[in-house]
Amino acid sequence: MPSHLPFRPLSRRTTRTAALTVAVCSTLLVLPAPAGATAPAAGADSAFPPRIHDIQGRTRLSPFAGKNVTGVTGIVTGVRDFGGSRGFWLQDPRPDHDRATSEGIFVYTGGKSPGVAAGDALRVSGKVQEYYPGGKEAGNQSVTELTGASWERTGGVADAELPRPVRLTARSVPESYAPDADGGSIEERRLRPNRYALDRYESLEGMRVSVRDVRVTGPTSRYHDLWVTTDPRQNPTPRGGTLYGSYEGQNGARMKVSSLLPLAEHPFPKADVGDELRGTTEGPLDYEQYGGYTLRATTLGDHRDNHLERERTRAQRRNELAVATYNVENLSPKSEPAKFERLADGLVTNLSSPDIVTVEEVQDDTGPTDDGTVGAGKTLEMLTDAIRKAGGPSYEWRQIDPADKADGGQPGGNIRVAFLYNPERVSFTDRPGGDTTTPVKVVAKGGKPALSASPGRIAPQDPAWKASRKPLAGEFRFRGRTVFVIANHFSSKGGGDLDGDQPMEGRFQPPARHSEPQRIEQADVVNRFVRNIRAIDRNAVVVAGGDFNDFPFSPALKTLRSGHTLTSPMNRLPADERYGYVFNGNSQTLDHLLTSPGAGRPEYDIVHINAEFADQTSDHDPSVVRIR
């Protein structure tokens, strides 16, 4: 997994430990309410049968939470009969007239198959619970559900007409994403489904919804899900995605889609960004830990392959220095041989064999095995051998081993940054003294800047790098001129060993970016290092590249550029082309190549070969900058 994301457990209900018993009853007695009776006070235990919209209420929290309810009637609209989170969705076919109250609810049966089918008319009793996917501390919204349930059929088996699904379109989902609670919880606020996208989805929690003829904005994952947009005009990219261009542009028309259909009989489509699901996709609307609101499809539209092509950048000219950055996503000798082959082909064919490459997420020689190994010589040898076999240069490499377990990432992997370079085009200035803990300094040699050690780690013991990768500085020569390159991999948004950001679709709005202050500190350290180089030679050529784990509009990137120390040549690309990573259906930028003013006006290219594709070698696209 990429280091900026939390690890994804196999079970999405790992925090549940209570054993639940499902009893299919045929003698459940529900006493009719006496004439003139009114509904019980919110949350009160009573034999008076509440309706599902009573249980859901007008906020995100049920007024019946923690209480037992009996005689809840509805039609089964979908069944999850696999995994450790089994159950079914129940929907009242007679809705009220309040758009804020949902008519659907999930009945959780744990690891036991519920033994019901879509179309069954049931009367259900159970305990109302607010379940927080990932645990309450994760910051997600809750799912209102019934647990410890028993039920009886009120009609024949699967003979009821399913409630008509609510169609989600560009017009039915508000443009505004979520109410602003100054960072507090929005749980107890009355839903305003006509005003906010998250409120609209919450008002449909557990109900049948549908989308039609939708474009894929997030490719199929290993977990058999993908993302679509109900509004193709919402910040589109030229290749069919949806651009995340600001903290206020969350793109609420995005919708995650997974399937309730048996995969053996109904294989989930392997879709790329820009593909389509033609026709109707429909099913209950759920909420999960990874991505929030999710359409659990009982009917999947037909996959239309729009044949998205992988890009190729042009080769650098004789007088152009090509510097690339590539996050190779936890590469180690334990990776599949095909991964090495595909990474090599991408570097040679799609990136046209750059002169220098900053590589991120290079693991040690035993990969995720936590055995104290920190060296990565075998990993890099296997990569450079694969590049040579693919017809590329005989790259050499430089790197410095981290201290064991000190740099975050996949446990045991000891990820680090490294340089690859083509010795036929550039030379590396080796200067001893660089090691795990010794900081590299900028010194003057003959009136010109130089590194005290090359390669060397920048301020490796500064608190800014706690549980994060340390930047690596190297001194290169190209056509008689010194070029300083800094390889970076800033701290994860997922947090790693530190606090991660709150989810965009969570209950705290706007979500706190807990990981951001550390990246700002890291950016300041790198910025000051480049300032030291430019203080000796204001025309020095410096390239700072890597996975900065942040956006072009973020405070961290603004700090990197502060004082005109570095610039972002990416900003000369059209705005809708500035992306190289796709997360939850949003096309965004985490990887950057920044240059000093002495580099002039470099040409920048993001080479789309991974992030938009279901079949990807890494979850990041590489980028390249060409400097004259």
Side-chain angles (χ1 to χ4, degrees):
M1 293 292 291
S3 66
H4 47 270
L5 296 178
F7 291 102
R8 189 170 191 166
L10 295 177
S11 170
R12 298 180 184 174
R13 301 238 178 195
T14 54
T15 59
R16 291 186 184 268
T17 55
L20 300 177
T21 303
V22 178
V24 179
C25 303
S26 59
T27 59
L28 183 66
L29 179 63
V30 178
L31 298 176
T38 58
D45 288 327
S46 174
F48 188 91
R51 303 277 291 280
I52 292 176
H53 51 249
D54 298 324
I55 296 171
Q56 286 283 7
R58 296 181 177 90
T59 72
R60 287 171 165 79
L61 300 178
S62 170
F64 288 81
K67 305 295 182 180
N68 294 310
V69 293
T70 60
V72 181
T73 58
I75 308 298
V76 176
T77 60
V79 181
R80 182 158 56 213
D81 202 12
F82 53 85
S85 179
R86 304 188 187 198
F88 58 90
W89 285 268
L90 193 72
Q91 185 167 335
D92 193 329
R94 296 179 295 132
D96 63 5
H97 299 290
D98 189 344
R99 283 174 59 88
T101 57
S102 171
E103 303 294 340
I105 195 167
F106 184 66
V107 181
Y108 173 67
T109 62
K112 294 189 176 183
S113 298
V116 298
D120 285 353
L122 303 181
R123 182 180 290 116
V124 182
S125 297
K127 186 176 183 178
V128 180
Q129 172 177 284
E130 294 291 343
Y131 167 66
Y132 290 88
K136 193 170 183 178
E137 67 284 352
N140 287 298
Q141 298 186 52
S142 62
V143 179
T144 304
E145 57 187 26
L146 295 178
T147 66
S150 59
W151 58 82
E152 66 172 351
R153 291 186 172 86
T154 60
V157 176
D159 62 354
E161 182 178 351
L162 296 183
R164 179 177 297 179
V166 175
R167 178 90 174 271
L168 299 175
T169 66
R171 296 187 64 182
S172 68
V173 178
E175 184 72 20
S176 296
Y177 191 67
D180 188 337
D182 292 325
S185 174
I186 59 175
E187 286 183 307
E188 297 183 4
R189 294 192 174 203
R190 180 163 179 166
L191 297 176
R192 302 173 71 182
N194 295 329
R195 180 78 179 271
Y196 302 110
L198 287 188
D199 284 15
R200 178 60 170 154
Y201 295 140
E202 177 64 21
S203 74
L204 300 172
E205 180 191 271
M207 293 177 61
R208 293 188 80 217
V209 299
S210 70
V211 296
R212 184 172 180 82
D213 296 338
V214 285
R215 193 181 72 234
V216 175
T217 66
T220 301
S221 78
R222 72 186 75 176
Y223 302 101
H224 308 292
D225 52 41
L226 53 77
W227 288 78
V228 300
T229 180
T230 59
D231 185 358
R233 297 172 298 179
Q234 190 174 67
N235 299 317
T237 70
R239 292 166 59 85
T242 297
L243 185 73
Y244 181 58
S246 72
Y247 292 123
E248 294 74 35
Q250 301 96 330
N251 299 313
R254 295 171 299 115
M255 173 63 61
K256 189 174 183 178
V257 176
S258 69
S259 179
L260 295 175
L261 302 169
L263 288 175
E265 302 167 22
H266 303 274
F268 197 80
K270 293 183 178 179
D272 301 328
V273 167
D275 288 358
E276 297 172 79
L277 292 183
R278 304 290 294 179
T280 296
T281 298
E282 63 187 16
L285 185 63
D286 195 14
Y287 185 98
E288 68 166 39
Q289 179 180 359
Y290 300 101
Y293 294 100
T294 302
L295 194 164
R296 306 291 190 190
T298 55
T299 299
L300 267 173
D302 294 326
H303 174 214
R304 176 177 174 178
D305 187 347
N306 285 330
H307 304 289
L308 187 70
E309 294 186 359
R310 287 177 163 84
E311 292 184 337
R312 294 187 181 187
T313 196
R314 71 169 177 84
Q316 63 271 29
R317 300 184 181 97
R318 185 169 176 268
N319 66 336
E320 289 178 321
L321 175 69
V323 182
T325 186
Y326 201 167
N327 183 319
V328 294
E329 193 183 6
N330 290 328
L331 185 69
S332 81
K334 293 189 176 180
S335 301
E336 293 292 330
K339 178 164 184 171
F340 284 92
E341 294 169 4
R342 293 185 61 180
L343 285 171
D345 184 63
L347 284 160
V348 174
T349 303
N350 301 91
L351 268 74
S352 297
S353 299
D355 300 313
I356 303 169
V357 187
T358 70
V359 188
E360 300 82 51
E361 292 199 26
V362 174
Q363 290 194 343
D364 64 41
D365 290 339
T366 59
T369 301
D370 189 4
D371 59 1
T373 299
V374 293
K378 185 176 180 181
T379 304
L380 289 163
E381 181 179 359
M382 290 176 67
L383 177 59
T384 52
D385 283 351
I387 293 170
R388 189 170 55 254
K389 290 177 183 177
S394 296
Y395 280 110
E396 295 185 11
W397 75 80
R398 296 292 186 273
Q399 65 95 42
I400 294 177
D401 294 333
D404 190 29
K405 301 182 186 65
D407 283 19
Q410 187 177 21
N414 288 316
I415 59 172
R416 82 289 310 275
V417 296
F419 296 123
L420 304 182
Y421 69 95
N422 179 2
E424 295 181 2
R425 291 266 300 167
V426 298
S427 62
F428 189 85
T429 303
D430 285 295
R431 200 170 284 125
D435 58 30
T436 302
T437 58
T438 302
V440 61
K441 303 292 184 181
V442 178
V443 297
K445 287 184 177 291
K448 295 292 184 180
L451 301 182
S452 61
S454 178
R457 301 178 103 196
I458 297 177
Q461 294 181 304
D462 191 293
W465 309 110
K466 181 181 178 181
S468 181
R469 282 64 56 190
K470 285 65 175 173
L472 187 69
E475 194 174 315
F476 294 84
R477 297 282 290 178
F478 175 69
R479 297 177 65 83
R481 187 166 185 185
T482 297
V483 178
F484 299 94
V485 182
I486 303 170
N488 303 270
H489 189 180
F490 281 12
S491 60
S492 162
K493 288 184 177 295
D497 294 336
L498 305 176
D499 288 338
D501 296 354
Q502 291 175 342
M504 180 190 296
E505 62 284 342
R507 67 184 186 276
F508 298 106
Q509 295 293 334
R513 301 190 294 271
H514 293 304
S515 66
E516 183 175 84
Q518 186 183 20
R519 285 192 300 279
I520 295 173
E521 292 177 10
Q522 293 171 346
D524 182 63
V525 172
V526 174
N527 177 273
R528 285 188 279 113
F529 187 83
V530 178
R531 282 175 186 252
N532 291 338
I533 295 174
R534 297 192 67 230
I536 300 172
D537 179 6
R538 61 179 293 107
N539 294 316
V541 178
V542 183
V543 180
D547 178 1
F548 291 93
N549 264 320
D550 228 330
F551 312 117
F553 48 84
S554 68
L557 266 293
K558 291 178 181 177
T559 300
L560 277 167
R561 296 189 296 258
S562 66
H564 304 287
T565 303
L566 292 166
T567 62
S568 292
M570 181 195 302
N571 290 345
R572 290 194 288 274
L573 294 176
D576 60 0
E577 295 181 14
R578 300 173 196 168
Y579 68 91
Y581 188 78
V582 179
F583 181 69
N584 286 356
N586 269 332
S587 295
Q588 53 195 247
T589 303
L590 299 178
D591 306 86
H592 304 262
L593 288 158
L594 298 101
T595 58
S596 64
R601 290 175 60 86
E603 183 180 278
Y604 199 95
D605 195 6
I606 303 171
V607 188
H608 301 298
I609 60 175
N610 286 320
E612 298 170 309
F613 296 89
D615 178 20
Q616 53 186 223
T617 312
S618 165
D619 48 353
H620 293 250
D621 288 329
S623 301
V624 62
V625 64
R626 287 180 282 264
I627 302 170
R628 289 192 170 214

